[in-house]
Amino acid sequence: MDPHHRRTTLDEALPDGQALSGGAEGLGNRLDGLAPAAMDAASFHLASERILSAINTVIDGKSEAAKLALTVLLAQGHLLLEDVPGVGKTLLAKTLARTIDCSVSRIQFTPDLLPSDVTGVSIYNQASRLFEFRPGAVFANIVIGDEINRASAKTQSALLECMEEHQVTVDGDSYRLDEPFMVVATQNPIEMEGTYPLPEAQRDRFMARISMGYPDKDSEIEMLETHQATSPLDKVSAVVTSSDVAAMIATVQQVYVSQAVKEYTVSLGRATRQSAMLRLGASPRSLLQLLRAAKATAALEGRDFVLPDDVISVAESVLAHRIIVDRKAASTGETPHSVIRSILAKLPVSQESPGPAVRSGERQGEPDRPPDVKHSR
């Protein structure tokens, strides 16, 4: 086993180096090739509450970070945890992974880590006289990448195909990754010695970025009282199965998005590209992931339709790490977060109701004229 990573409950590799093309089959949890059925509202709420409760017993005073991490998982995205050392970045990633009964892999990114350590490598079997594929640490449901910016750009780029297409290509053969699949990476923005900053293309693969921040006084005192003898992570066990997560993802995919909300999302993206304070605005991929995160947010709030408020609530986490502030604006104290807040404050919000009444009318061939509803910011 390579010293740079540890694999837990990982499924066996394909026999005889068998390669997979397309998406019909894959390694790990495939649910027998059947599309999972969506959960009903009560089951979805119960499952999400179990996951959040388990995380909050370990991470004190960071309920919003825990909810956003679950949002990214249900939106089929990837999460970047960026903050100073010692605030619980890796702990949050490990806790989220433990709440789900699925395969988990952890990669400690170092300067000498090779791309093959992440994706896998073909090894010649002298007995069979064939090359056999040995899967790397990325073949798991939850992949924890610790200090991702300490690996070279070449190793970082090994994750690009994995994160976007959920597959690995080695020696011309493609291998499907486990489903559900999520990369949770951590990085330290303060200590830059011996690091390789993530390029824009790599950051754009992450659906959201979370800065943990320091806990409040009461949470820190609670941590000192409960974390001294043993780690609360030792008591965390799986509260849902990978099949449950797949069903929750299927539920999120069925959340309705009205035309007005789509137009609002596109208007937000175009406003970042036209802003004089930004050198780089939001990409089309970022808008797609923003809408997916908004759908997951709506589902966690108990709704089967998206409101503009859902888009607004996740806009900073999804867009801030993808945009680049102009030097002149940065010199005046502007940050990606402040620019996004400024754009959101000026962007008009549609008054059209995107609720079930709209879909009911559309299915019956009625005119698309829903009642007005006000959305607060």
Side-chain angles (χ1 to χ4, degrees):
M1 172 126 356
D2 187 271
H4 297 297
H5 70 262
R6 183 179 72 251
R7 195 180 310 161
T8 309
T9 63
L10 190 58
D11 295 304
E12 294 296 326
L14 283 176
D16 301 325
Q18 178 185 357
L20 296 173
S21 59
E25 298 176 320
L27 296 175
N29 300 313
R30 280 288 156 189
L31 303 177
D32 299 325
L34 300 176
M39 280 185 172
D40 59 82
S43 299
F44 184 94
H45 176 74
L46 184 61
S48 61
E49 284 298 314
R50 286 202 301 261
I51 295 174
L52 292 176
S53 297
I55 296 176
N56 290 329
T57 59
V58 178
I59 309 294
D60 295 312
K62 296 298 174 184
S63 57
E64 288 301 318
K67 184 178 179 181
L68 185 56
L70 178 58
T71 299
V72 174
L73 173 63
L74 299 182
Q76 294 181 288
H78 308 286
L79 183 63
L80 180 62
L81 300 171
E82 182 180 280
D83 216 318
V84 296
V87 294
K89 301 187 299 295
T90 305
L91 188 61
L92 174 60
K94 292 168 66 176
T95 306
L96 175 64
R98 284 205 182 184
T99 60
I100 303 169
D101 185 18
C102 63
S103 57
V104 180
S105 177
R106 179 177 176 182
I107 310 172
Q108 185 67 48
F109 282 84
T110 56
D112 61 339
L113 189 72
L114 298 175
S116 59
D117 296 328
V118 176
T119 60
V121 64
S122 293
I123 300 177
Y124 183 72
N125 188 326
Q126 292 184 348
S128 64
R129 296 185 179 182
L130 295 172
F131 281 93
E132 296 180 356
F133 178 68
R134 295 289 184 256
V138 78
F139 284 89
N141 295 118
I142 306 292
V143 178
I144 302 173
D146 209 5
E147 295 189 283
I148 188 173
N149 58 334
R150 291 204 177 275
S152 66
K154 185 176 182 179
T155 302
Q156 291 176 9
S157 65
L159 285 172
L160 291 175
E161 182 185 13
C162 308
M163 296 171 67
E164 181 67 18
E165 303 175 37
H166 291 199
Q167 71 175 22
V168 169
T169 301
V170 178
D171 295 334
D173 293 325
S174 295
Y175 305 86
R176 295 294 298 178
L177 296 174
D178 297 350
E179 295 289 352
F181 174 70
M182 179 184 185
V183 174
V184 184
T186 69
Q187 70 172 358
N188 176 12
I190 304 300
E191 178 60 55
M192 299 306 296
E193 229 175 283
T195 61
Y196 302 83
L198 292 178
E200 286 78 9
Q202 186 82 41
R203 292 201 307 267
D204 201 47
R205 295 300 199 280
F206 289 97
M207 175 174 283
R209 180 182 65 180
I210 298 178
S211 294
M212 300 287 291
Y214 292 108
D216 56 37
K217 180 180 179 181
D218 293 338
S219 298
E220 216 159 1
I221 293 176
E222 178 71 16
M223 180 192 68
L224 295 178
E225 293 176 349
T226 58
H227 293 203
Q228 287 191 54
T230 59
S231 171
L233 185 62
D234 297 335
K235 301 178 182 178
V236 175
S237 59
V239 295
V240 295
T241 66
S242 58
S243 299
D244 292 332
V245 174
M248 294 175 75
I249 291 173
T251 305
V252 169
Q253 290 175 342
Q254 293 185 2
V255 172
Y256 177 77
V257 183
S258 70
Q259 185 65 26
V261 173
K262 294 176 185 176
E263 291 176 357
Y264 178 76
T265 304
V266 171
S267 298
L268 174 58
R270 295 178 68 85
T272 64
R273 299 167 199 159
Q274 297 167 1
S275 173
M277 293 186 289
L278 298 178
R279 286 196 295 121
L280 180 67
S283 67
R285 181 194 288 119
S286 68
L287 300 186
L288 178 61
Q289 297 197 353
L290 175 60
L291 202 55
R292 287 177 179 172
K295 290 171 68 174
T297 301
L300 290 173
E301 293 294 330
R303 284 181 277 104
D304 64 348
F305 57 92
V306 176
L307 294 174
D309 285 344
D310 300 321
V311 177
I312 294 170
S313 67
V314 294
E316 287 187 46
S317 299
V318 174
L319 300 180
H321 64 288
R322 306 171 188 268
I323 62 178
I324 299 179
V325 179
D326 183 78
R327 290 183 179 179
K328 185 177 180 180
S331 65
T332 62
E334 294 289 349
T335 65
H337 290 275
S338 66
V339 173
I340 292 174
R341 285 195 292 267
S342 175
I343 292 174
L344 288 172
K346 299 175 182 177
L347 200 64
V349 180
S350 170
Q351 298 299 301
E352 179 181 303
S353 171
V358 177
R359 289 174 291 144
S360 162
E362 290 174 348
R363 283 195 300 266
Q364 297 172 7
E366 297 175 2
D368 187 6
R369 299 184 53 168
D372 288 347
V373 64
K374 292 183 180 180
H375 304 301
S376 63
R377 295 194 180 179

